[in-house]
Amino acid sequence: PKQLGCTIVLRGADRVALKQLKSVLRFLILAAYNLRLETSYLKERRARLRPDLVELPKHGFSTSLCVDYGEPLNGRKIRPWNGGDDAVRANSGEVTVLDHGALLVTSIWMTEKSQCCPAEVKGICYYSLQDVSLGQFLRDSCFNLSLKCQNPNCKKSVLDHSLSFVHNDGLLNIVVEELDEDLPAHPGKKTSETNPDNMEEDLDIPIATWSYCRKCEKMVAPLTFISEDTWKFSFGKFLESFFYNRDAILNAPDQSCSCQLQSAAVLFFGCGRLSARFNYEPIKPFEVFVRANLPIHIPFHKEETLRRLELISGASSDLFVKFDKHIERVSREARTLFHSAVARPEHLQTLLSELNRIGSDVDNAAKTLQEKMASVSEECRRRDEDEVSDALLRFPWFARRYLFLVTSAWNDKLRAAGKAITAMKKIGASASRADVGGGEAYNDQLNAGIKRLRELNERYTTFNIADMNEALAALAGTEIAQHDDFDDEFDESEVSIDFSDGVDAD
């Protein structure tokens, strides 16, 4: 009986030669078997090869008909995956048909245009335990309504999902739909014998196929029940044919259609009241390209440095004006307290002296920053592209840090001065109401404000506002190296600024 197969005895040479001959013979048997099944599949799809097709060496890399793997993407080397060391492969080091015995695909379950489960990479070795027949795949994965989604939180059926296979530059999308009525009965099988709702009870259920041409917008292959050979056709080879057979065309002269099978035809399989639609779409694959080092475009960074310096110049000028106005208002408010009966002249004098010092620091900082930015801008414009140093390009960052640090120091001092002035006002108001308890509380607030102001003043005594390097070092608690060869250029060393004491780096 043919289902028992046969035994071939090889002899007449040494073991090494027989082992090689055995591998080649096994491959030839597999190629012949696949050719018979694939021919049956293409015949039932109403497909044939182009009449003007010229067989090229590139078509010899696969046991399937007219499979063209094309050129590798982005000049990559061809590294076919053949399923491991146990698979048959060439010993010459060159890529041959023996190296194309498997296919790597990415499968994705989708529901309502969203990914239901993580994508899974699957390796299919043709006609092996990793493979299934086309009929078995249709029965188990398409027409089995009891199939559960891999996502445990998903309670939807197969009809609400779509299964996509992605490989190289193609996507095969499979959608199962319910028909309005049952398909016609198989000529050789009674209708009562089929029960598509429970595949486990009927493993020999008939499956039909037909094709629709998107270009001609009509059905071009009539409904045909698949044969046993098509049922046994490798699902891996079925996918390979979808992704790489670009020379097959539809053979439907009665429908006047000879469009390309891969791009124009939509394949349908049906069973009972269910149909599975196989739709191929070309895609543009993207890949991650990691550079060893990134090139720097000096003209862009030069223009960007000048643009940022201009923005910082305008913003800092507006900020310094606001500080001057605020200091003037607070000083005027403090002077009015000299005429109060409960005024503390020593505290008021401390406050006014500190406000005058802050105002002087604001003026010096404005002058220093503007002069430094003007000097850097002029030097950046004057130098050629190959002479622009990193220090010049980094200067806008240092200018912003300098501006942030000095304004933070002034804010601390003005906040302490404001609390002391507010406490003096409250002391005067409580004295007019003869509120002894309230006056003592406000005295404590006043003393706390003056104490805080003195602490801040001691903290910033080493702060030289006229020198940006020294100012950053004093405020941040770090030492910045100085360069005497070019005074107008900011420090070129690496700067580490400690923002731990309530300072936000942004």
Side-chain angles (χ1 to χ4, degrees):
K2 64 179 182 179
Q3 65 269 19
L4 297 181
C6 65
T7 301
I8 300 177
V9 179
L10 300 175
R11 56 187 174 184
D14 56 24
R15 179 175 292 273
V16 176
L18 289 176
K19 185 175 181 180
Q20 295 176 351
L21 183 60
K22 181 179 179 181
S23 298
V24 173
L25 182 61
R26 183 188 295 117
F27 170 77
L28 291 176
I29 294 174
L30 183 64
Y33 179 68
N34 174 77
L35 182 61
R36 190 187 83 182
L37 303 186
E38 186 174 8
T39 302
S40 173
Y41 158 72
L42 292 176
K43 181 180 178 180
E44 293 173 2
R45 282 204 64 181
R46 285 284 193 98
R48 67 183 179 93
L49 303 181
R50 291 188 293 107
D52 58 344
L53 178 65
V54 178
E55 192 71 18
L56 299 175
K58 62 183 181 180
H59 293 143
F61 286 119
S62 173
T63 56
S64 294
L65 297 172
C66 295
V67 166
D68 179 11
Y69 292 110
E71 297 296 329
L73 296 174
N74 299 328
R76 285 182 170 181
K77 294 183 179 180
I78 301 178
R79 293 183 299 175
W81 181 82
N82 63 0
D85 297 334
D86 296 334
V88 179
R89 59 180 299 116
N91 296 322
S92 62
E94 298 180 357
V95 177
T96 68
V97 65
L98 298 178
D99 295 305
H100 288 280
L103 187 73
L104 278 176
V105 294
T106 302
S107 64
I108 308 173
W109 278 91
M110 304 287 292
T111 175
E112 297 180 356
K113 297 182 179 181
S114 62
Q115 188 169 325
C116 193
C117 301
E120 184 179 2
V121 178
K122 298 180 179 180
I124 303 176
C125 292
Y126 306 141
Y127 298 102
S128 70
L129 295 178
Q130 296 175 335
D131 198 1
V132 295
S133 66
L134 175 59
Q136 184 178 354
F137 172 80
L138 294 172
R139 179 176 62 85
D140 295 342
S141 301
C142 296
F143 303 136
N144 184 11
L145 295 182
S146 62
L147 181 66
K148 302 298 182 181
C149 178
Q150 297 178 359
N151 185 354
N153 298 324
C154 180
K155 306 301 180 183
K156 297 181 180 180
S157 67
V158 177
L159 300 177
D160 299 318
H161 289 79
S162 65
L163 176 60
S164 299
F165 290 98
V166 182
H167 176 80
N168 198 24
D169 59 350
L171 180 146
L172 181 60
N173 196 37
I174 305 174
V175 179
V176 179
E177 300 170 318
E178 191 170 9
L179 302 174
D180 296 334
E181 56 184 20
D182 290 342
L183 294 174
H186 191 283
K189 194 170 186 178
K190 298 180 181 179
T191 309
S192 58
E193 296 179 8
T194 35
N195 183 16
D197 291 335
N198 192 345
M199 292 292 182
E200 299 298 334
E201 295 182 359
D202 194 345
L203 301 180
D204 195 26
I205 187 169
I207 297 176
T209 181
W210 65 96
S211 296
Y212 175 86
C213 180
R214 288 179 292 192
K215 190 174 181 180
C216 299
E217 297 183 348
K218 59 183 176 181
M219 185 182 297
V220 294
L223 187 142
T224 304
F225 285 92
I226 65 174
S227 62
E228 182 180 356
D229 284 346
T230 302
W231 178 286
K232 294 179 179 179
F233 185 42
S234 163
F235 181 67
K237 278 292 184 180
F238 169 79
L239 293 179
E240 183 189 58
S241 176
F242 250 107
F243 290 123
Y244 289 114
N245 192 339
R246 302 177 177 89
D247 295 315
I249 60 175
L250 288 166
N251 183 25
D254 53 336
Q255 300 293 335
S256 301
C257 178
S258 59
C259 300
Q260 187 183 21
L261 185 69
Q262 184 190 57
S263 60
V266 180
L267 176 62
F268 288 88
F269 289 99
C271 179
R273 189 168 287 193
L274 300 177
S275 70
R277 183 175 75 247
F278 289 68
N279 188 24
Y280 175 84
E281 299 177 12
I283 60 175
K284 293 182 179 180
F286 294 92
E287 52 186 337
V288 178
F289 179 71
V290 181
R291 292 178 178 266
N293 47 40
L294 293 176
I296 180 171
H297 187 55
I298 295 298
F300 167 78
H301 290 284
K302 185 177 178 180
E303 294 178 3
E304 185 68 12
T305 298
L306 295 174
R307 186 187 68 83
R308 291 184 178 183
L309 287 176
E310 185 177 355
L311 291 176
I312 295 173
S313 177
S316 62
S317 298
D318 295 339
L319 184 61
F320 290 141
V321 170
K322 291 181 180 179
F323 265 104
D324 285 334
K325 291 182 179 180
H326 183 71
I327 292 170
E328 182 181 356
R329 182 179 61 81
V330 175
S331 299
R332 186 170 56 251
E333 190 174 354
R335 291 189 186 96
T336 60
L337 297 177
F338 272 111
H339 305 290
S340 175
V342 293
R344 306 290 179 86
E346 66 282 4
H347 291 337
L348 284 174
Q349 193 61 42
T350 301
L351 288 173
L352 290 174
S353 298
E354 194 57 43
L355 291 172
N356 290 335
R357 186 181 294 109
I358 296 174
S360 178
D361 289 345
V362 171
D363 296 337
N364 291 334
K367 180 180 177 181
T368 301
L369 185 60
Q370 293 298 331
E371 289 178 352
K372 183 69 74 171
M373 286 192 296
S375 175
V376 172
S377 299
E378 181 181 356
E379 190 68 21
C380 194
R381 291 188 181 94
R382 183 183 63 82
R383 292 192 179 190
D384 296 332
E385 294 180 2
D386 55 346
E387 296 179 348
V388 177
S389 64
D390 291 342
L392 289 176
L393 300 180
R394 292 202 311 265
F395 182 78
W397 184 91
F398 284 107
R400 295 205 323 265
R401 298 307 100 184
Y402 169 77
L403 189 62
F404 177 78
L405 289 172
V406 294
T407 53
S408 297
W410 298 334
N411 276 330
D412 288 342
K413 292 183 178 182
L414 289 174
R415 188 180 298 111
K419 290 181 179 180
I421 293 175
T422 301
M424 286 185 178
K425 290 182 178 180
K426 291 180 178 180
I427 289 174
S430 62
S432 62
R433 297 193 306 268
D435 185 3
V436 179
E440 293 180 357
Y442 299 142
N443 275 324
D444 294 338
Q445 293 180 10
L446 173 61
N447 293 330
I450 296 298
K451 180 181 179 181
R452 173 62 176 168
L453 194 58
R454 289 172 178 170
E455 290 176 352
L456 293 173
N457 193 33
E458 293 178 0
R459 180 179 178 182
Y460 300 126
T461 51
T462 58
F463 175 67
N464 184 5
I465 202 68
D467 191 332
M468 293 180 63
N469 288 320
E470 189 175 342
L472 283 171
L475 285 175
T478 61
E479 294 182 0
I480 303 178
Q482 305 295 321
H483 291 270
D484 299 331
D485 55 344
F486 181 55
D487 182 64
D488 286 334
E489 184 170 302
F490 198 70
D491 170 51
E492 295 190 22
S493 64
E494 293 295 330
V495 180
S496 176
I497 300 178
D498 181 14
F499 293 103
S500 60
D501 192 10
V503 179
D504 186 358
D506 294 330

